[in-house]
């Protein structure tokens, strides 16, 4: 893969990814899918040697996952009461206290990607990727379930420094280090400013992908003295890296890396509209410094949601959306409705409410976190307005989130107009999610903001037409062609669009069939990871050129 950049011909051979998530190993959101699918595509089709580094969390059994201890590090050491033959120390100073933390490394080759897990005391005690669990709260009262880890910033810095140290110990000089989200965004500054790193990595480019720029996702820290101590960065870098008086990894990265968002529209919104207020004005701050946000819309692997192979997805029957064969989809709908009528069993998911078992009735669906960002309050109010006037409509929610939304949905299932028409499946199960996707006629995404969106892709591949707020990455849903979209994100407008979709369901089903087929064709043509990979290779080349200029 080569490109002319002036007199420089740049070929991307080696890519290292630094991330807190990786699909099938550790995940909490869409970051895990992007990391794994992009890494595997680069390894299989991009001509790249790909490495990924993430923590070994306490819920992971590395040996059972196929990992072995890597022979890196000059001495044996003890971590969490266990002795490791090969360890190394990472500088992790606190304010007024010089200190180091001992780490070991696990490794495995999975689908052409070499993956490293960083073993450390700090990670081994964590039962979830980002937050405390119910078990944590039972052990220590202040570790509230759902609350972020108190040492989140140190966790991030340890991962980034360990990744850089690992490359040096292995003698590998990455062409590009791909840093995913705020958890890894301080790495480019550390790499360029630390005297132990800047010479070794002088030819390595850095790319920072902003998966979510919303408030609470920056991984910022208000204690500037601690930020300086633990990162080892000069005071001038800490001060220049501030946003709203906090040290912000995204801002700090701007002088040392190429930055991109996970859709073109999201990047434009952050730098050209008032939507950036949701980020604390990160996009505008970067723009004032002359730093544009490149946009690359995430891809998807259609083979992972192949409805012609129903056993792998846990579906009742096969069907083929792209070819317009939907007989099996109706069987999937019948199966889910029958299971809901029987109240499961659903394992870890708890059912509230039930539905009529008639598959002729249109079925709306929602799968995701029950949060304000996802527009759950807007959807609930829209249903309150619509259901009395659309007696055939039924609706399934699958997910969990804020206590207030969970309570409201439980009450909605027992209301006069929601009884036997709304079912709330509280919790999450991947196979059950596939069943809901396959059974639904319409998939609702009324997000207030959405950096890219993955569920719209998945719904389309299952033949479940998305109805989306036209914002961020959701603009890839073409109104009237591959789904439905609307601009004014109010309950009244959403109810109006849903009513229009129901009219098509009742009177023009052939149009919905055409839209479902067109949605799959568009994904295959524009949004597979094979297509998206080329855009990332272009950004990698830009990062390498930037490294050569510093």
């Amino acid at each position: 893969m080569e490109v002319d950049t002036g007199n420089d011909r740049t070929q991307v051979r080696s890519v290292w990814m630094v991330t807190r998530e990786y699909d099938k190993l550790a995940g909490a959101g869409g970051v895990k899918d992007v990391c794994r699918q992009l890494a595997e595509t680069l390894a299989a089709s991009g001509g790249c040697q790909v490495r990924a580094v993430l923590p070994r969390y306490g819920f992971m059994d590395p040996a059972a996952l196929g990992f072995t201890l890597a022979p890196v590090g000059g001495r044996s050491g003890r971590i969490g009461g266990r002795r490791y033959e090969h360890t190394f120390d990472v500088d992790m100073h606190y304010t007024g206290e010089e200190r180091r933390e001992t780490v070991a490394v696990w490794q495995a080759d999975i689908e052409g990607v070499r993956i490293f897990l960083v073993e450390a005391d700090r990670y081994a005690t964590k039962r979830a990727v980002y937050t405390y669990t119910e078990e944590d709260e039972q052990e220590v009262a202040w570790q509230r379930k759902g609350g972020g880890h108190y040492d989140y910033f140190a966790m991030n810095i340890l991962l980034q420094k360990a990744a850089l140290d690992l490359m040096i110990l292995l003698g590998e000089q990455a062409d590009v280090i791909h840093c995913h989200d705020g958890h890894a965004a301080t790495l480019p500054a550390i790499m360029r400013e630390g005297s132990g790193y800047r010479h070794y990595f002088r030819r390595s480019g850095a790319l920072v992908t902003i998966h979510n720029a919303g408030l609470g996702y920056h991984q910022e820290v208000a204690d500037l003295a601690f930020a300086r101590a633990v990162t080892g960065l000069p005071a001038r870098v800490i001060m220049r890296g501030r946003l709203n008086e906090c040290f912000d990894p995204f801002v700090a990265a701007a002088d040392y890396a190429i930055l991109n968002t996970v859709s073109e529209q999201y990047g434009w919104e952050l730098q050209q509209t008032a939507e950036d207020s949701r980020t604390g004005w990160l996009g505008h701050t970067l723009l004032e410094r002359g730093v544009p946000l490149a946009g690359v819309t995430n891809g998807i692997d259609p083979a992972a949601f192949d409805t012609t192979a129903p056993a792998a997805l846990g579906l009742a029957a096969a069907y083929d959306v792209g070819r317009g064969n939907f007989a099996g989809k109706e069987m999937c709908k019948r199966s889910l409705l029958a299971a809901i009528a029987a109240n499961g069993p659903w394992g870890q998911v708890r059912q509230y409410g039930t539905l009529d078992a008639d598959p002729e009735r249109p079925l709306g669906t929602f799968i995701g976190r029950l949060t304000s960002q996802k527009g759950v309050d807007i959807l609930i109010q829209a249903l309150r307005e619509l259901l009395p006037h659309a007696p055939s409509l039924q609706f399934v929610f699958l997910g969990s989130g804020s206590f207030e939304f969970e309570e409201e949905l439980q009450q909605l299932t027992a209301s006069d107009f929601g009884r036997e028409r709304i079912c709330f499946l509280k919790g999450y199960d991947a196979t059950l999610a596939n069943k809901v996707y396959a059974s639904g006629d319409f998939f609702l995404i009324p997000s207030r903001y959405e950096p890219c969106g993955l569920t719209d892709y998945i719904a389309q591949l299952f033949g479940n037409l998305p109805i989306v707020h036209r914002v961020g990455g959701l603009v890839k849903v073409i109104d009237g062609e591959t789904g439905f979209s609307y601009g004014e994100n109010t309950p009244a407008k959403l109810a109006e669009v849903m009513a229009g979709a129901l009219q098509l369901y009742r009177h023009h089903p052939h149009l919905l069939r055409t839209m479902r087929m067109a949605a799959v064709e568009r994904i295959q043509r524009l949004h597979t990871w094979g297509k998206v990979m080329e855009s990332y290779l272009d950004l990698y080349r830009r990062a390498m050129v930037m490294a050569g200029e510093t």
Side-chain angles (χ1 to χ4, degrees):
M1 298 291 177
E2 296 187 358
V3 65
D4 276 322
T5 309
N7 295 321
D8 182 76
R9 290 183 67 80
T10 307
Q11 184 173 0
V12 183
R13 297 181 178 86
S14 171
V15 178
W16 281 67
M17 293 192 179
V18 182
T19 177
R20 288 282 302 274
E21 302 182 40
Y22 197 92
D23 188 32
K24 300 184 180 178
L25 295 174
V31 176
K32 68 181 187 304
D33 304 291
V34 173
C35 289
R36 181 181 67 83
Q37 293 179 26
L38 177 57
E40 291 179 1
T41 304
L42 287 165
S45 306
C48 299
Q49 178 189 76
V50 185
R51 314 294 198 211
V53 188
L54 67 153
R56 199 288 291 179
Y57 301 102
F59 58 82
M60 300 165 67
D61 182 342
L65 291 167
F67 285 79
T68 58
L69 287 164
V72 292
R75 60 176 178 79
S76 65
R78 190 170 293 277
I79 303 171
R82 173 180 173 176
R83 179 160 292 280
Y84 291 81
E85 290 304 312
H86 299 277
T87 68
F88 58 93
D89 290 341
V90 178
D91 288 348
M92 290 287 290
H93 303 318
Y94 286 175
T95 309
E97 178 187 355
E98 294 185 359
R99 56 189 300 282
R100 291 174 176 171
E101 297 186 19
T102 301
V103 305
V105 177
W106 299 83
Q107 70 178 33
D109 293 334
I110 302 176
E111 298 296 332
V113 179
R114 177 155 295 178
I115 300 173
F116 298 100
L117 306 179
V118 177
E119 180 75 38
D121 287 333
R122 194 178 291 279
Y123 302 134
T125 58
K126 302 302 191 289
R127 294 185 172 101
V129 175
Y130 301 124
T131 61
Y132 292 112
T133 66
E134 185 174 349
E135 189 175 357
D136 291 322
E137 185 173 346
Q138 290 173 353
E139 289 182 358
V140 182
W142 62 262
Q143 295 181 165
R144 301 300 298 273
K145 176 185 176 183
H149 296 133
Y150 80 97
D151 60 343
Y152 70 95
F153 192 75
M155 291 175 68
N156 296 339
I157 298 303
L158 177 60
L159 174 65
Q160 294 166 85
K161 286 186 174 181
L164 293 172
D165 288 346
L166 177 61
M167 289 181 231
I168 293 173
L169 289 168
L170 293 173
E172 294 198 17
Q173 292 178 310
D175 289 328
V176 175
I177 303 174
H178 190 161
C179 307
H180 288 276
D181 238 354
H183 313 93
T186 311
L187 185 148
I190 295 173
M191 179 176 72
R192 293 282 180 252
E193 293 289 348
S195 107
Y197 297 131
R198 66 174 176 263
H199 304 300
Y200 186 86
F201 293 105
R202 64 189 180 277
R203 294 189 180 91
S204 297
L207 173 69
V208 172
T209 293
I210 302 174
H211 291 267
N212 193 329
L215 293 173
Y217 291 91
H218 294 208
Q219 300 295 291
E220 74 276 13
V221 62
D223 187 340
L224 301 183
F226 173 69
R228 183 182 179 188
V230 76
T231 63
L233 291 170
R236 61 177 170 78
V237 178
I238 297 295
M239 299 306 288
R240 181 166 168 77
R242 289 175 300 162
L243 180 68
N244 301 321
E245 302 309 314
C246 293
F247 174 75
D248 189 295
F250 289 138
V251 176
D255 290 334
Y256 310 96
I258 301 296
L259 275 66
N260 81 285
T261 56
V262 289
S263 72
E264 294 89 338
Q265 178 71 15
Y266 189 54
W268 178 82
E269 288 171 0
L270 297 190
Q271 295 203 305
Q272 302 296 333
T273 77
E275 280 293 306
D276 196 35
S277 63
R278 302 183 190 277
T279 78
W281 300 104
L282 170 67
H284 283 63
T285 298
L286 295 174
L287 189 61
E288 288 170 3
R289 297 188 181 188
V291 178
L293 290 172
V296 178
T297 299
N298 285 340
I300 192 167
D301 177 12
F305 306 98
D306 182 6
T307 58
T308 66
L313 299 172
L315 303 184
Y319 60 100
D320 191 334
V321 180
R323 294 179 179 274
N325 177 3
F326 294 105
K329 180 171 171 62
E330 182 175 332
M331 295 176 64
C332 291
K333 189 176 185 180
R334 287 180 182 274
S335 176
L336 179 68
L337 292 175
I340 288 174
N343 286 293
W346 306 118
Q348 299 298 312
V349 174
R350 184 171 181 180
Q351 178 178 333
Y352 296 88
T354 189
L355 301 176
D356 188 294
D358 181 5
E360 296 298 320
R361 299 179 65 170
L363 182 63
T365 54
F366 174 94
I367 299 175
R369 290 180 289 114
L370 304 178
T371 64
S372 178
Q373 185 222 319
K374 296 299 181 181
V376 174
D377 52 328
I378 296 171
L379 176 54
I380 291 173
Q381 186 55 40
L383 288 172
R384 291 185 186 278
E385 295 182 16
L386 179 63
L387 285 173
H389 308 289
S392 64
L393 176 64
Q394 302 196 104
F395 208 97
V396 176
F397 287 85
L398 172 62
S400 61
S402 80
F403 175 78
E404 292 77 12
F405 289 146
E406 290 180 352
E407 285 287 299
E408 192 167 1
L409 283 176
Q410 291 171 35
Q411 295 170 8
L412 196 61
T413 64
S415 65
D416 289 341
F417 57 83
R419 188 176 295 112
E420 297 188 359
R421 297 180 63 193
I422 296 180
C423 177
F424 172 32
L425 300 173
K426 181 181 175 181
Y428 186 77
D429 176 86
T431 300
L432 178 55
N434 290 339
K435 296 176 186 292
V436 173
Y437 277 120
S439 303
D441 298 297
F442 304 106
F443 191 86
L444 279 294
I445 315 178
S447 300
R448 284 182 164 83
Y449 71 93
E450 195 65 63
C452 180
L454 178 64
T455 56
D456 55 322
Y457 281 144
I458 299 173
Q460 288 171 327
L461 290 170
F462 278 99
N464 192 343
L465 287 172
I467 299 176
V468 307
H469 175 211
R470 191 166 55 249
V471 67
L474 296 177
V475 300
K476 60 185 179 291
V477 175
I478 310 301
D479 185 45
E481 295 182 19
T482 65
F484 305 87
S485 70
Y486 60 95
E488 183 184 4
N489 201 19
T490 63
K493 184 62 177 179
L494 177 54
E496 177 187 328
V497 174
M498 291 174 67
L502 292 175
Q503 287 293 316
L504 291 181
Y505 182 91
R506 186 178 301 113
H507 301 296
H508 303 286
H510 62 286
L511 295 180
L512 298 184
R513 178 178 179 274
T514 300
M515 291 169 66
R516 291 180 180 124
M517 295 171 65
V520 170
E521 185 278 331
R522 185 176 176 85
I523 287 175
Q524 296 281 6
R525 180 164 47 87
L526 298 176
H527 297 303
T528 64
W529 276 112
K531 302 288 187 182
V532 176
M533 175 191 70
E534 296 296 336
S535 297
Y536 271 107
L537 286 170
D538 287 341
L539 291 182
Y540 291 163
R541 296 182 190 106
R542 286 176 53 188
M544 293 168 68
V545 171
M546 182 179 185
E549 294 173 346
T550 57

